[in-house]
Amino acid sequence: DAEPPAELLRPPAGGGDGSGIDGLSVAWHFALVHWQLARVRSGMLLARALQRRFVIPRLVCGFDRWWASHKGIIPNSATLLPIHDCPMDHIFNIYAIPPAWLPKEAGFLANPRLPVSTCASSAAVPYSNYASATAMLAELSTPELERVAVLEVSNIGDVFSALLASDDNKLAELARQFQNLAGKWVGEWCCSYVPPRTPGDVAYDFFFDIEGHRDRANNVRSGPWQPRLGGSRLELRDCSFSGVRNQTAECNMRAPNSRPQGK
């Protein structure tokens, strides 16, 4: 997909929750970034399985990243939200990604030093509803496609789950290897206004949509994903904002059985 759907690029309905400016929210920022992370996850795994190199798409961030509390943009800046062409290191711990897995930058194919013949040798292939991971790889590695330098796969699906469920032990092991490593490849967004002695950063989660996975803080995640502060179990939705520019936060962790279903 070239970019996130239009509904994710717009401010959330309801005017936000006070965690961001102009009706925006931290939860909206994470929904936008995580939508892209799911596709990056699939692209990295598919490229690895095909023995190719993944070119990361241009990223869009809902909020800027800073080293102190803010409401979406660095104080006194004039940044327009969302941020198109968001720097990769706003989301990823680039130096933690092993060279074999490291994607090429978004502008790689536009680099004037790239041989013209490379871009001229390309093919666009839609991602189908494959019966299995083996069938997926067979269709995307035909002799004709193997001769192509640039393979563009559109509407990519959940490659991670397909590989993990594969009867091919090598493919399932590739997914498990990725799961063990990739959690540390993404960073955190900083930072929300929070009460004293409460961490304000929220970590990105490469597996946010995988039921029952463990996040970077080793907490088991189930149900719809919610931003958690500083690796704790305190969710940002447990906080309310008031005062001048909504910079005063009060947070009260709810008991697990008190959380509304589907929230």
Side-chain angles (χ1 to χ4, degrees):
D1 305 282
E3 64 176 21
E7 58 268 24
L8 274 178
L9 296 173
R10 293 193 296 264
D17 57 6
S19 62
I21 61 172
D22 300 329
L24 302 177
S25 68
V26 173
W28 165 73
H29 164 73
F30 273 85
L32 173 59
V33 170
H34 278 169
W35 185 93
Q36 296 167 90
L37 279 182
R39 283 144 187 84
V40 170
R41 182 183 72 200
S42 286
M44 292 178 74
L45 278 164
L46 183 59
R48 183 75 167 166
L50 293 172
Q51 298 184 340
R52 289 177 175 269
R53 183 59 64 92
F54 178 58
V55 179
I56 200 165
R58 297 191 184 277
L59 301 170
V60 184
C61 291
F63 282 5
D64 207 345
R65 185 182 184 185
W66 202 35
W67 53 85
S69 302
H70 63 95
K71 291 290 182 179
I73 63 173
I74 297 173
N76 300 317
S77 73
T79 304
L80 297 177
L81 301 179
I83 302 170
H84 294 266
D85 290 322
C86 185
M88 188 176 171
D89 63 1
H90 271 36
I91 301 172
F92 293 90
N93 293 323
I94 297 174
Y95 295 108
I97 305 175
W101 286 96
L102 186 65
K104 292 293 186 181
E105 67 275 12
F108 174 75
L109 295 176
N111 191 321
R113 292 179 294 178
L114 194 69
V116 174
S117 59
T118 299
C119 292
S121 174
S122 63
V125 181
Y127 188 92
S128 303
N129 185 21
Y130 301 107
S132 66
T134 304
M136 171 186 68
L137 296 180
E139 187 167 326
L140 295 175
S141 59
T142 62
E144 180 183 359
L145 290 178
E146 284 191 332
R147 290 191 292 269
V148 170
V150 180
L151 183 63
E152 181 181 348
V153 181
S154 59
N155 299 318
I156 194 166
D158 184 3
V159 175
F160 170 74
S161 294
L163 294 180
L164 195 62
S166 176
D167 292 334
D168 186 319
N169 290 334
K170 289 184 178 180
L171 297 181
E173 179 57 31
L174 177 64
R176 287 191 291 268
Q177 180 191 47
F178 183 87
Q179 188 174 29
N180 291 335
L181 296 174
K184 298 178 181 178
W185 299 350
V186 289
E188 58 282 323
W189 172 79
C190 184
C191 285
S192 176
Y193 284 93
V194 290
R197 297 181 296 280
T198 302
D201 61 294
V202 181
Y204 296 108
D205 192 342
F206 233 147
F207 304 96
F208 73 99
D209 56 339
I210 304 300
E211 179 69 18
H213 77 282
R214 289 188 177 273
D215 63 18
R216 203 170 67 177
N218 205 34
N219 293 318
V220 176
R221 292 292 194 120
S222 60
W225 192 93
Q226 294 289 336
R228 287 183 177 176
L229 296 167
S232 70
R233 294 181 180 274
L234 178 63
E235 296 180 351
L236 195 60
R237 63 175 176 170
D238 295 330
C239 303
S240 59
F241 299 88
S242 60
V244 177
R245 298 180 182 176
N246 278 335
Q247 293 183 2
T248 300
E250 294 184 3
C251 303
N252 294 290
M253 187 184 299
R254 287 170 284 179
N257 60 4
S258 70
R259 300 189 183 279
Q261 294 295 318
K263 297 289 186 178

